[in-house]
Amino acid sequence: DHNPHVSFNNMAYFSSRGPTKDGRIKPEVDAPGQNVFSADRKQKCGIRPESGTSMATPITSGGAALIRQYFTEGFYPSGNRTASDSMEPSAALLKAMLISSAAPLSGLALIGSKWTNL
């Protein structure tokens, strides 16, 4: 069955969201985690849709690894690989790059019991 609320533009209904009690906006980064196709351990070379943080976390960590590689291989600031520009980015820089390079969700979020535009 097709669920129109399952989309990469929508926040998964089971995702936590802010603001927090102290006013911070959460989550800072959101990745697809609902109906993501993954390897099926029960079938040789098979795939099946899965949901949860075990699907979203690899997507986010893969993005962070690519950003880290961009810095460690010296692509910053010219966009061309330059060994003398190589640097080891801090965790704070990686987080800032993930946040600032994200595209806003344009779909729906389940707030309480109501689907609301993001």
Side-chain angles (χ1 to χ4, degrees), residues 48-65:
R48 67 183 193 173
E50 293 284 348
S51 298
T53 54
S54 59
M55 297 294 106
T57 300
I59 294 169
T60 305
S61 61

Side-chain angles (χ1 to χ4, degrees), residues 6 9 16 33 45 51 59 69 87 90-92 95 103 112 115-116 118:
V6 176
N9 289 320
S16 298
C45 299
S51 298
I59 294 169
Q69 181 179 11
M87 64 175 277
S90 67
K95 181 178 178 180
W115 286 96
T116 305
L118 293 171

Side-chain angles (χ1 to χ4, degrees), residues 68-89:
R68 183 182 179 281
Q69 181 179 11
Y70 180 81
F71 287 106
T72 60
E73 292 188 1
F75 284 95
Y76 177 82
S78 69
N80 297 309
R81 182 182 287 173
T82 308
S84 62
D85 289 336
S86 177
M87 64 175 277
E88 191 67 40

Side-chain angles (χ1 to χ4, degrees), residues 2-79:
H2 175 70
N3 180 344
H5 295 126
V6 176
S7 164
F8 286 155
N9 289 320
N10 298 345
M11 182 171 276
Y13 73 91
F14 51 79
S15 291
S16 298
R17 56 190 55 81
T20 63
K21 289 181 182 180
D22 62 4
R24 291 173 293 139
I25 297 171
K26 295 289 181 178
E28 290 99 339
V29 175
D30 185 40
Q34 190 172 10
N35 285 352
V36 175
F37 282 92
S38 182
D40 187 346
R41 61 184 167 79
K42 296 179 182 178
Q43 291 184 31
K44 185 176 183 180
C45 299
I47 59 172
R48 67 183 193 173
E50 293 284 348
S51 298
T53 54
S54 59
M55 297 294 106
T57 300
I59 294 169
T60 305
S61 61
L66 290 172
I67 293 169
R68 183 182 179 281
Q69 181 179 11
Y70 180 81
F71 287 106
T72 60
E73 292 188 1
F75 284 95
Y76 177 82
S78 69

